[in-house]
Amino acid sequence: MKPTVLVLGSGPIRIGQGIEFDYSCVHCIWALQALGYRAIIINNNPETVSTDFDTGDGLYFEPVTLPDVLAVVRHEKPIGVVCQFGGQTAINLADGLEAAGVKVLGTSPSAIAMAEDREQFEALLESLGISRPKGRAVRSLEEAVSVAAEVGYPVLVRPSFVLGGRAMEIVHDEAHLRSFYGEAESANPGQPVLVDKYLMGIEAEVDVISDGEATLVPGIMEHIERAGVHSGDSMAVYPPVSLTPEVQRAMVLDACRIARSLGVHGLMNIQFVVAPGPDGALRPYVLEVNPRASRTVPYLSKVTGIPMVDLATRCMMGQTLGELGYEGGLWVLDPKSVREAAKAGPCPPHAGGRIIPESEFIAGVPTFPEPILYAVKAPVFSFQKLARVEPSLGPEMKSTGEILGIDFRYEAALYKALVASGIHFREHGDVVLTVNDADKAKAVEVAREIVAAGIPIIATSGTANALRDAGIRCRDAAKIQEGSPNLLDLIASGEVSLMINTPHVGRQASDESARIRRACIESGVPCVTNIDTAGALARAIRLYADPTATECRRLEEYLQGASA
Amino acid sequence: MKILVIGSGPIVIGQAAEFDYAGTQACKSLKEEGHEVVLINSNPATIMTDPGVADALYIEPLNVDFCERVIARERPDALLPTLGGQTGLNLATQLSDQGILEKYDVKLLGTPLTAIRKAEDREQFRALMREIKEPVPESWIVETPEQLEELLDIVPYPCIIRPAYTLGGTGGGIANTREELLEIGNIGLKLSLRSQIMVERSLLGWKEIEYEVMRDSKGNCITVCNMENFDPMGVHTGDSIVVAPSQTLSDLEYHMMRTASLKIINALGIEGGCNVQMALNPDGFDYYIIEVNPRVSRSSALASKATGYPIARVAAKIAVGLTLDEIENQVTKTTKACFEPALDYCVVKIPRWPFDKFATGDRTLFTQMKATGEVMAIDRSFEAALMKAVRGLEVKQRDLWHEKFVGQPDQELRAAIKQPTDERLWAIAEGLRRGFSVDEVHKLCRVDRWFLRKMAAMVANPFEPVASPVYKMVDTCAGEFESRTPYYYATQEAFGDA
């Protein structure tokens, strides 16, 4: 009789924990079956592939809670339980399972706790000499105020152990901190609240596979929106387009060191923000580490060709990356390279490529090859269905799904990502710009591209002044408080093909921009609420007039490169 | 054959993971029959977009341009349009309307487009229902205040006013009198971007019942299962607590609606799966046909999991010409797909809403779906399945006890029982716990007394999940035939199947 392994599913689909985790669970089951185990699953979501009766060798249609899982364990007597693919639902049970004497496969519960517990994790990073934004876990408002004063505003305030950035906010001053603290505290009662220096910079993330010793980084993803937008709501591009080789090197080394010292067996996700260090040079700061499969695993698996969950499952069950034909380091796509050892192994890559080994990163800054493709992930929202929800982006996740745009050229991939996520221009109509002061300089760049593409611009007074100062022509529109006809009338008239509206600070102004954003949603006008998203759009805008300049190919053809 | 499948794209409210499940099953099913599958889907977080699921995979935007380019490159023989939700179906319709399918000589498989149109176009559907003598609720389109005046003496009261092109039903409402219709109707006309409202007979409070039916090209039909909404008419079925099989219908009612569903699927000429939604008068034997979905849907995913009958898989086989009596039942491996499943357990589905994230969001439930996902629970009784479903929701509440309602004054609690929201289940439980009679609660929320009596007993004697349950099998046939599927649920009984 084959030994049994129990895989924990991710429960119902909610914002912050979507279909991506089902993808990982299903792949884990397939990998376990290939390894000769009897793979069984427990999950209670009827919409998924993991609860298809022929996915696993046994399906327990039960809630993913500790008592229900323990009952199945007593009944099935598996050799162990897999907690790292079912999102926060599953990983949260690791401790309880271990306490009940059940073997948790892969990364140990104590390592999971170390990554998730603020104080232990800080001590770990400190010992490894890895930078992170300054801050602390606090248990009272007064403590929060003193930490904020110490590290300096703005600070990021959030509850610990909560997925999807619930009750998380960028706080600019003490009054704001005092009014917001209670919300963060009550989001997860009894747990500390995290107060960290907010670093304004580019965000990036990696998902890595580790066998405890060697760590493979299948790819680095760079976020298009600056820090402050939840990673699940950010557009992300693989490979990075603006990170320097030095910064990428530091990320790979940080990832390898963290995985090794935690003893990660399986997957881990690390989020970084890139900001100037004490020497003025840009460097990555670690924002958070999730010792489990993240929502970017399916996306990254597909565009790098690395069967990430398969590899991670095998590492979890005791195989090493070396035995599987891989090694520690950064995987880069290269259609001309064939990694023979991996190809001959049980989980070959779906693409040509090579690994820049960790040793090369330790020795210095390696040469990165020219990217053969760009893959842009974009979030998709359901605001149309949810009355009274504010659609602007922030640290709290709001999207329900995601799409992927892939092409040989970055602009083309951006274009596809935007179109597929529903940001499509109407054929006629103007673009309206109304942005906050901090975004005005960038708005000028965006407007220049839009005008160059032959699309007329309408702007509200402040934005219009900034554009005219830069020599860009635009029509004026009145703000709501300036009387009729105003922006709302324009939106209702159908003359607007796209709205670029970034949230304003200050009560009246922010109420007004929220009304404008809601009006767009209710009348089906695409609305971009982040200036960096608008920048991406400006970059891709000429393709809207000529979509045939994009490719349309099978995924495997992209992975073979444009010259194939 | 080389067959093009269009996926459903990104996960949005109303179109979630169920189409990955259906699409993956269908791709496998088509390949089993020796066909080559070309897939286009923009959603990378899916199993169906994995290497190996389809023979040719396009991760490209789901619009007519890119679909045409895929067709031009791959030259598929056929398109199967009913697996990618509304997105996939709309695209297939556009491709057909714009002559693209004809240009590249792509034939449509499964349910013909004409049948899909008949099911989806309001006027065509009403005409067909009249022809086969199935009742649809009376409704009127109003575009001017004058038209509204003319209607006042004609419509049955209460009636529902739905403004066209506003979101979440803004400006809609229920009118009990002429005066109310005049007032709400005029506001609705102003709020509607196109100045159009629909006035229809109110079926609020009627039971909402669904049937999942299958038909093949030879006209063989079966019902996979029926489902009853705990929440009566007035809440989107995706936002309703749903029970399978129905629990409060008499045999006569059950068969009356089963017969109607089969009549409809035949009249439409569906080749595949179809979902029929009906409203049943709780105080009589009359019913209305509300809606028909001529494709796999969220409900069909639920029905598949509730019964063990793989609707998408069978629908794909029907689309390539197989008939129900030729398709093997994969669960038993001893019976065929023409056997109607039998359930010896009760299934409860509870939606999962995003209001923990969107604290400012409008929690009231009406005809616009708001849930992002759902949980399903299987057990031997409604009570046990309900408790299991609540426990699996991963919300703060682990049972029928909700802090928020415990200290609430009676009047407020009555309002919370009356107004459908994501929290109403707990308001009802609190009312029953406080000693409101089943009749009183029923008058407020119109939930069937059978469910309320069960809940009253549950709050009077709360029970804990047992530590050592036995496991029973979901075998599609209630133990009548030999079955080997390793699909189990826990229950508290003396003997299990596993």
Side-chain angles (χ1 to χ4, degrees):
Chain A
M1 179 100 175
K2 292 175 182 174
T4 297
V5 174
L6 174 63
V7 178
L8 306 189
S10 58
I13 292 198
R14 67 209 91 158
I15 291 174
Q17 194 162 298
I19 185 177
E20 311 81 35
F21 297 97
D22 202 65
Y23 169 95
S24 292
C25 289
V26 170
H27 273 270
C28 173
I29 290 167
W30 290 343
L32 287 167
Q33 289 173 329
L35 280 167
Y37 294 98
R38 182 173 161 266
I40 60 174
I41 182 147
I42 174 167
N43 198 8
N44 65 344
N45 185 339
E47 303 176 325
T48 56
V49 178
S50 70
T51 55
D52 199 351
F53 61 84
D54 65 357
T55 295
D57 298 305
L59 163 63
Y60 284 83
F61 213 106
E62 292 289 307
V64 190
T65 68
L66 191 59
D68 298 284
V69 172
L70 285 174
V72 172
V73 167
R74 275 192 294 272
H75 180 72
E76 280 280 358
K77 302 185 179 56
I79 58 162
V81 177
V82 179
C83 299
Q84 58 173 274
F85 299 108
Q88 210 61 32
T89 298
I91 205 105
N92 283 348
L93 302 185
D95 257 349
L97 286 169
E98 193 182 53
V102 179
K103 166 87 181 150
V104 172
L105 295 164
T107 310
S108 70
S110 62
I112 294 168
M114 185 182 282
E116 294 195 332
D117 178 88
R118 179 58 188 238
E119 276 153 37
Q120 289 186 56
F121 185 62
E122 273 174 15
L124 174 77
L125 289 188
E126 190 105 340
S127 72
L128 296 173
I130 293 173
S131 323
R132 56 171 181 82
K134 285 199 164 52
R136 271 207 303 279
V138 301
R139 288 192 176 272
S140 73
L141 172 60
E142 289 320 309
E143 215 184 325
V145 170
S146 86
V147 171
E150 187 187 314
V151 302
Y153 289 94
V155 288
L156 186 64
V157 181
R158 63 198 153 126
S160 44
F161 302 102
V162 167
L163 191 73
R166 188 149 55 89
M168 186 191 275
E169 196 144 299
I170 297 162
V171 169
H172 291 272
D173 52 45
E174 189 178 323
H176 189 186
L177 177 58
R178 287 185 181 276
S179 66
F180 177 71
Y181 184 81
E183 193 179 320
E185 193 177 40
S186 60
N188 199 358
Q191 294 296 336
V193 171
L194 309 177
V195 178
D196 294 295
K197 174 74 185 167
Y198 168 66
L199 294 171
M200 182 71 153
I202 293 172
E203 277 195 32
E205 65 185 295
V206 293
D207 287 301
V208 306
I209 304 143
S210 183
D211 59 18
E213 206 33 61
T215 299
L216 176 65
V217 184
I220 299 173
M221 295 159 278
E222 176 180 340
H223 294 188
I224 289 173
E225 289 82 3
R226 271 164 287 183
V229 173
H230 190 278
S231 63
D233 284 351
S234 297
M235 291 177 76
V237 53
Y238 164 85
V241 288
S242 69
L243 302 179
T244 61
E246 287 77 14
V247 166
Q248 294 189 50
R249 168 182 181 259
M251 286 178 184
V252 172
L253 289 176
D254 284 357
C256 292
R257 277 144 71 200
I258 293 171
R260 194 172 290 128
S261 54
L262 281 176
V264 169
H265 285 75
L267 281 164
M268 173 177 72
N269 168 273
I270 307 178
Q271 312 253 344
F272 297 97
V273 58
V274 179
D279 58 352
L282 288 175
R283 60 191 293 182
Y285 290 82
V286 171
L287 287 177
E288 66 179 78
V289 166
N290 296 301
R292 54 167 174 79
S294 79
R295 72 175 66 78
T296 41
V297 164
Y299 151 58
L300 202 58
S301 301
K302 279 165 198 178
V303 302
T304 62
I306 296 288
M308 292 171 65
V309 178
D310 195 353
L311 277 175
T313 302
R314 287 168 185 274
C315 287
M316 203 174 67
M317 301 311 291
Q319 292 185 322
T320 65
L321 285 169
E323 287 165 18
L324 298 163
Y326 293 84
E327 63 185 311
L330 176 70
W331 168 259
V332 288
L333 286 173
D334 178 358
K336 287 185 288 297
S337 300
V338 179
R339 201 176 162 86
E340 295 294 348
K343 215 178 153 199
C347 38
H350 301 294
R354 58 194 166 84
I355 294 170
I356 305 175
E358 188 186 351
S359 57
E360 252 184 70
F361 284 96
I362 293 169
V365 180
T367 319
F368 291 89
E370 275 301 305
I372 61 152
L373 59 79
Y374 290 92
V376 176
K377 177 209 82 164
V380 177
F381 302 87
S382 298
F383 295 130
Q384 288 218 334
K385 314 275 167 111
L386 296 164
R388 298 213 302 256
V389 171
E390 152 69 287
S392 66
L393 304 185
E396 191 158 350
M397 185 166 162
K398 295 178 176 175
S399 60
T400 51
E402 66 183 46
I403 52 80
L404 174 64
I406 185 167
D407 211 310
F408 296 129
R409 287 192 306 137
Y410 180 39
E411 286 74 17
L414 278 173
Y415 164 78
K416 287 182 183 177
L418 290 160
V419 168
S421 66
I423 302 179
H424 210 305
F425 287 73
R426 293 178 184 169
E427 287 190 5
H428 305 286
D430 303 354
V431 170
V432 177
L433 263 118
T434 165
V435 302
N436 64 38
D437 288 341
D439 291 337
K440 292 225 157 82
K442 182 102 193 243
V444 168
E445 289 172 42
V446 170
R448 219 183 285 287
E449 292 289 332
I450 295 172
V451 171
I455 300 165
I457 287 182
I458 301 178
T460 49
S461 52
T463 312
N465 288 341
L467 297 185
R468 291 204 183 98
D469 287 348
I472 299 167
R473 290 179 51 179
C474 60
R475 259 168 67 203
D476 284 296
K479 293 182 177 164
I480 303 175
Q481 79 227 30
E482 294 167 359
S484 234
N486 57 36
L487 274 182
L488 289 182
D489 302 307
L490 260 181
I491 294 165
S493 73
E495 286 174 51
V496 180
S497 64
L498 173 78
M499 169 72 66
I500 297 173
N501 173 298
T502 64
H504 288 62
V505 187
R507 180 117 222 144
Q508 190 187 10
S510 71
D511 283 354
E512 165 147 354
S513 55
R515 274 180 70 190
I516 290 165
R517 290 190 288 274
R518 274 303 327 168
C520 286
I521 282 163
E522 310 214 346
S523 48
V525 173
C527 180
V528 172
T529 64
N530 180 286
I531 198 68
D532 298 316
T533 320
L537 183 87
R539 232 186 134 139
I541 202 157
R542 285 166 206 244
L543 283 160
Y544 276 91
D546 181 21
T548 55
T550 58
E551 300 287 335
C552 176
R553 293 183 184 229
R554 294 182 178 191
L555 177 63
E556 71 213 44
E557 293 177 74
Y558 289 116
L559 293 167
Q560 283 156 8
S563 51
Chain B
M1 269 196 295
K2 194 171 187 179
I3 300 171
L4 176 64
V5 173
I6 303 177
S8 68
I11 306 292
V12 289
I13 289 175
Q15 200 162 272
E18 62 269 19
F19 296 106
D20 187 31
Y21 161 61
T24 304
Q25 247 194 13
C27 289
K28 276 162 59 183
S29 173
L30 293 172
K31 284 170 77 172
E32 272 171 23
E33 299 302 321
H35 300 291
E36 196 182 336
V37 177
V38 179
L39 171 70
I40 175 168
N41 193 358
S42 58
N43 186 346
T46 50
I47 293 288
M48 74 191 291
T49 56
D50 250 354
V53 172
D55 297 285
L57 165 65
Y58 285 81
I59 301 186
E60 300 287 5
L62 287 177
N63 62 26
V64 172
D65 288 350
F66 279 97
C67 286
E68 178 171 6
R69 289 168 75 180
V70 170
I71 291 172
R73 279 191 106 219
E74 295 285 342
R75 301 305 301 262
D77 303 297
L79 166 64
L80 182 49
T82 47
L83 296 166
Q86 201 61 44
T87 303
L89 196 51
N90 288 350
L91 269 170
T93 312
Q94 285 171 287
L95 289 168
S96 165
D97 289 349
Q98 295 179 22
I100 293 164
L101 298 183
E102 200 181 352
K103 179 175 166 191
Y104 294 97
D105 196 20
V106 181
K107 70 174 178 191
L108 273 167
L109 295 179
T111 303
L113 270 192
T114 48
I116 288 168
R117 284 219 179 83
K118 264 188 212 158
E120 296 207 319
D121 179 88
R122 187 172 163 273
E123 286 314 315
Q124 286 193 45
F125 181 67
R126 296 171 73 84
L128 179 72
M129 289 304 106
R130 274 196 294 272
E131 205 175 293
I132 64 169
K133 300 195 167 52
E134 286 297 334
V136 282
E138 305 89 323
S139 70
W140 297 264
I141 301 282
V142 176
E143 286 173 331
T144 63
E146 294 72 40
Q147 287 176 354
L148 183 66
E149 293 266 356
E150 286 168 25
L151 215 62
L152 294 176
D153 294 322
I154 302 172
V155 299
Y157 292 95
C159 62
I160 297 189
I161 299 109
R162 296 180 204 277
Y165 308 100
T166 68
L167 231 101
T170 319
I174 302 159
N176 292 300
T177 61
R178 298 175 85 244
E179 291 68 34
E180 284 177 11
L181 174 56
L182 195 61
E183 186 191 334
I184 301 172
N186 274 316
I187 295 173
L189 281 172
K190 279 202 198 88
L191 286 176
S192 164
L193 288 178
R194 308 265 168 95
S195 187
Q196 188 190 89
I197 57 172
M198 186 165 88
V199 179
E200 69 180 13
R201 165 191 283 275
S202 166
L203 298 170
L204 292 182
W206 286 37
K207 292 184 188 185
E208 188 166 356
I209 312 287
E210 294 176 77
Y211 278 75
E212 286 296 324
V213 281
M214 308 282 305
R215 180 180 176 275
D216 65 27
S217 55
K218 296 230 174 85
N220 300 307
C221 298
I222 65 155
T223 56
V224 176
C225 78
N226 84 337
M227 293 178 275
E228 173 172 9
N229 290 9
F230 170 92
D231 300 279
M233 286 290 294
V235 176
H236 191 286
T237 168
D239 276 343
S240 294
I241 296 171
V242 172
V243 182
S246 59
Q247 299 291 314
T248 76
L249 301 189
S250 64
D251 191 50
L252 186 63
E253 289 167 324
Y254 176 90
H255 282 287
M256 177 176 77
M257 285 188 286
R258 177 178 182 276
T259 306
S261 304
L262 295 177
K263 203 161 121 195
I264 290 167
I265 194 175
N266 260 319
L268 283 168
I270 303 281
E271 289 171 33
C274 178
N275 161 268
V276 183
Q277 290 175 23
M278 285 169 280
L280 174 71
N281 186 347
D283 305 313
F285 287 98
D286 44 335
Y287 66 90
Y288 284 101
I289 311 298
I290 303 302
E291 193 181 303
V292 168
N293 284 305
R295 55 176 174 84
V296 301
S297 62
R298 181 185 47 261
S299 293
S300 68
L302 180 66
S304 294
K305 297 291 166 67
T307 59
Y309 188 102
I311 293 174
R313 180 177 185 280
V314 174
K317 299 243 192 261
I318 290 175
V320 294
L322 293 174
T323 53
L324 286 165
D325 55 307
E326 293 169 345
I327 303 165
E328 187 189 52
N329 178 329
Q330 286 241 305
V331 171
T332 61
K333 304 217 190 255
T334 55
T335 57
K336 296 291 182 185
C338 58
F339 282 52
E340 294 197 349
L343 277 58
D344 52 1
Y345 47 79
C346 179
V347 169
V348 173
K349 170 211 98 171
I350 305 184
R352 177 67 155 81
W353 290 276
F355 300 116
D356 51 338
K357 289 264 176 215
F358 297 134
T360 62
D362 177 1
R363 309 182 88 113
T364 61
L365 304 176
F366 192 42
T367 49
Q368 170 67 66
M369 180 171 166
K370 295 181 175 178
T372 55
E374 60 193 36
V375 299
M376 180 181 111
I378 315 175
D379 212 316
R380 295 290 264 190
S381 67
F382 166 73
E383 295 92 320
L386 179 70
M387 290 310 290
K388 202 189 263 189
V390 169
R391 197 163 77 237
L393 271 177
E394 296 179 59
V395 293
K396 273 188 195 151
Q397 294 68 41
R398 308 308 298 270
D399 48 30
L400 292 177
W401 180 276
H402 195 312
E403 232 180 24
K404 174 174 171 177
F405 298 115
V406 171
Q408 209 167 56
D410 284 1
Q411 248 355 77
E412 278 175 44
L413 183 62
R414 283 196 182 91
I417 292 172
K418 192 171 179 193
Q419 170 64 53
T421 63
D422 58 317
E423 296 171 323
R424 181 164 75 167
L425 178 69
W426 289 276
I428 292 172
E430 177 60 23
L432 293 166
R433 188 178 292 120
R434 215 176 269 188
F436 293 4
S437 72
V438 163
D439 278 336
E440 180 183 3
V441 174
H442 171 73
K443 276 208 188 78
L444 290 167
C445 62
R446 305 299 303 270
V447 171
D448 193 272
R449 289 181 185 84
W450 186 88
F451 293 119
L452 297 176
R453 277 196 296 272
K454 295 279 182 190
M455 283 179 68
M458 288 162 78
V459 296
N461 298 300
F463 59 88
E464 289 291 312
V466 281
S468 296
V470 298
Y471 291 91
K472 293 268 184 192
M473 199 187 268
V474 174
D475 63 1
T476 77
C477 57
E480 188 177 351
F481 302 96
E482 196 61 31
S483 179
R484 303 241 167 272
T485 341
Y487 176 4
Y488 306 111
Y489 64 94
T491 192
Q492 182 176 15
E493 267 183 30
F495 301 104
D497 299 330

